[in-house]
């Protein structure tokens, strides 16, 4: 039975539809049940997947500020569905696994990446050609589209990392490229790959070794070797997946761009519209709950205006993006962009007792 739920309008499904995660902003994770607590934990794991695909960075979840947003991943969810996957256990008995398919709000996730200055790997993504030769003891053989299942772990891992790999068609001339793959002749492989676009190749050879298996990889972009690496282990399936990981790392390093949100540091920001102690408590609590704010210290107070020295993860641009999304604060002086330019001393420690020296006009926000 397919159980469907969503935020806002419920998804319209018909019998026979199968919920799957498609695109960079969707993910699916295994769950133990359909309770609210289990679902919230699964939302966090799904958001980790999406941030990884969006940035190409498998360590995106460990970047500053991301952990706090993962704990409230539900606010980024647009809709979700459950799916039951049927399989077979080792004994042959049927087994079932419940998957939660999560679709995230693209604009909100984009804002999050910008706010936290996560590197973003732009769309559309390239589709390199995987030239993989496998020798299980009977001689090296090329993996082509007809034998794609042999490289399934590589192809699936690439999708998890936010891009896709292609395979050669398997003509006689292409099968003869096995020798070039085995000796690491990247120029010969590139020539054989000229009919495919883009001019990127992931070249790999997988063979038995004393420890089980070894995989040697080379990633080439337009004739230039971007990366070489080798992995050894007992599982050939796991080793093949390392090819997709290494390619994603090389592509991210070359093409991912970090948004210009300004440097992290301590900035002085003013707030108006404070008409009572309750307003001050509400503002203070809101600022302390913002992921982009690492620390805060009151600096100046008048009848209806407070100035804080805020230690920001990604500068005032990142702060602007987050407060605009939440709608608790509104920037004043709309005729000028208060998010541009340093308003304090970036890098100043807000907790060392030293004042922050203003280096420009202080951005002013009013409390709704």
């Amino acid at each position: 039975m397919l159980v469907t739920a969503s935020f806002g309008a419920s998804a319209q499904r018909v019998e026979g539809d199968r919920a799957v995660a498609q695109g960079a902003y969707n993910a699916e994770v295994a769950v133990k049940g359909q309770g609210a607590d289990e679902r919230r934990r699964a939302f966090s794991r799904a958001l980790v997947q999406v941030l990884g695909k969006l940035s190409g960075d498998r360590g995106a979840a460990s970047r500053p500020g991301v952990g706090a947003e993962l704990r409230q991943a539900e606010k980024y969810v647009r809709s979700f569905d459950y799916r039951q996957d049927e399989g077979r256990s080792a004994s042959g008995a049927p087994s079932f696994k419940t998957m939660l398919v999560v679709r995230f709000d693209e604009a909100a996730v984009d804002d999050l990446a910008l706010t936290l200055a996560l590197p973003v790997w732009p769309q559309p993504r390239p589709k390199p050609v995987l030239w993989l030769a496998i020798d299980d003891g009977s001689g090296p053989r090329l993996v082509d589209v007809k034998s794609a299942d042999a490289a399934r772990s590589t192809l699936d891992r690439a999708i998890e990392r936010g891009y896709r790999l292609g395979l050669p068609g398997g003509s006689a001339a292409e099968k003869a490229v096995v020798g070039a793959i085995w000796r690491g002749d990247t120029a010969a492989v590139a020539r054989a790959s000229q009919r495919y676009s883009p001019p990127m190749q992931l070249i790999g050879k997988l063979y038995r070794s004393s420890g089980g298996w070894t995989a040697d990889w080379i990633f080439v972009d337009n004739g230039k070797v971007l990366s070489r690496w080798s992995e050894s282990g007992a599982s050939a399936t796991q080793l093949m997946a390392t090819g997709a990981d290494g390619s994603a790392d090389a592509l991210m390093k070359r093409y991912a761009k970090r948004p210009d949100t300004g440097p992290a540091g301590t900035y002085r920001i003013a707030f108006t519209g404070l008409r009572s102690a309750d307003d001050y408590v509400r503002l203070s609590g809101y600022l302390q709950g913002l992921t982009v704010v690492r620390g805060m210290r009151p600096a100046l107070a008048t009848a209806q205006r407070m100035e804080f020295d805020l230690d920001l993860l990604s500068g005032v641009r990142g702060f602007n993006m987050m407060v605009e999304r939440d709608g608790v604060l509104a920037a004043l002086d709309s005729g000028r962009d208060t998010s541009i330019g340093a308003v304090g001393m970036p890098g100043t420690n807000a907790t060392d007792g030293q004042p922050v020296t203003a280096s420009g006009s202080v951005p002013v926000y009013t409390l709704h």
Side-chain angles (χ1 to χ4, degrees):
M1 177 180 295
L2 178 67
V3 181
T4 305
S6 67
F7 296 98
S10 298
Q12 298 298 310
R13 311 189 65 80
V14 297
E15 186 176 356
D17 279 356
R18 181 175 173 81
V20 295
Q22 296 179 336
Y25 296 89
N26 302 331
E28 55 185 61
V29 293
V31 292
K32 298 177 181 178
Q34 298 182 17
D37 289 342
E38 176 70 11
R39 185 164 59 244
R40 279 191 291 270
R41 289 190 290 269
F43 285 159
S44 297
R45 301 199 304 274
L47 185 55
V48 168
Q49 287 188 27
V50 167
L51 292 177
K53 288 192 290 186
L54 186 65
S55 66
D57 181 5
R58 50 181 152 178
S62 62
R63 289 181 175 269
V66 175
E69 294 304 299
L70 294 179
R71 289 190 288 272
Q72 48 184 348
E74 184 173 354
K75 70 181 183 181
Y76 297 101
V77 175
R78 178 169 54 84
S79 64
F80 64 89
D81 291 302
Y82 288 100
R83 186 185 74 230
Q84 292 285 348
D85 287 349
E86 183 177 358
R88 294 284 176 180
S89 65
S91 64
S95 62
F96 298 91
K97 181 169 62 174
T98 302
M99 303 295 295
L100 178 65
V101 180
V102 188
R103 304 170 193 87
F104 289 93
D105 184 280
E106 296 185 12
V109 173
D110 286 343
D111 285 352
L112 174 62
L114 178 60
T115 300
L116 299 181
L118 295 178
V120 175
W121 184 5
Q123 302 275 4
R125 305 277 172 83
K127 187 178 182 181
V129 179
L130 171 62
W131 292 87
L132 175 63
I134 301 176
D135 185 358
D136 59 4
S138 57
R141 297 184 301 277
L142 180 72
V143 177
D144 57 26
V145 292
K146 296 178 182 178
S147 55
D149 284 344
R152 181 56 53 195
S153 65
T154 317
L155 303 176
D156 289 346
R157 180 62 62 82
I159 294 173
E160 292 174 9
R161 295 296 301 273
Y163 73 110
R164 292 181 178 272
L165 288 166
L167 287 168
S171 66
E174 289 175 340
K175 291 181 178 179
V177 179
V178 166
I181 295 173
W182 217 253
R183 62 178 182 269
D185 187 344
T186 59
V189 176
R191 287 194 297 272
S193 195
Q194 285 180 345
R195 59 176 291 196
Y196 303 108
S197 181
M200 293 181 181
Q201 300 88 41
L202 171 59
I203 304 169
K205 62 178 183 179
L206 179 71
Y207 52 94
R208 291 191 178 276
S209 61
S210 57
W213 295 85
T214 296
D216 298 332
W217 300 100
I218 307 172
F219 187 75
V220 182
D221 182 359
N222 201 23
K224 180 180 179 180
V225 175
L226 295 188
S227 184
R228 295 176 183 264
W229 67 101
S230 295
E231 303 282 350
S232 297
S235 171
T237 300
Q238 292 178 2
L239 288 179
M240 283 192 287
T242 64
D245 281 331
S247 298
D249 293 343
L251 287 165
M252 175 202 165
K253 184 176 180 180
R254 183 160 189 173
Y255 295 107
K257 304 296 183 184
R258 186 180 297 277
D260 182 14
T261 57
T266 301
Y267 295 82
R268 180 159 296 177
I269 300 180
F271 302 92
T272 64
L274 307 175
R275 297 175 176 84
S276 67
D278 288 343
D279 285 345
Y280 172 80
V281 170
R282 185 159 62 94
L283 172 64
S284 180
Y286 172 71
L287 294 176
Q288 292 178 42
L290 288 177
T291 301
V292 73
V293 178
R294 294 184 295 192
M296 56 181 289
R297 181 181 63 184
L300 179 67
T302 63
Q304 292 188 13
R305 176 183 172 113
M306 279 290 305
E307 293 187 5
F308 287 93
D309 295 336
L310 300 183
D311 184 10
L312 301 180
L313 275 171
S314 55
V316 182
R317 284 190 181 91
F319 179 80
N320 242 21
M321 288 295 302
M322 190 157 281
V323 300
E324 285 178 1
R325 182 194 68 196
D326 292 342
V328 176
L329 299 171
L332 298 182
D333 300 321
S334 58
R336 63 185 180 91
D337 187 352
T338 59
S339 69
I340 297 178
V343 296
M345 294 289 290
T348 300
N349 188 341
T351 62
D352 63 3
Q354 298 300 315
V356 177
T357 304
S359 60
S361 58
V362 176
V364 181
Y365 295 83
T366 186
L367 181 68
H368 281 311

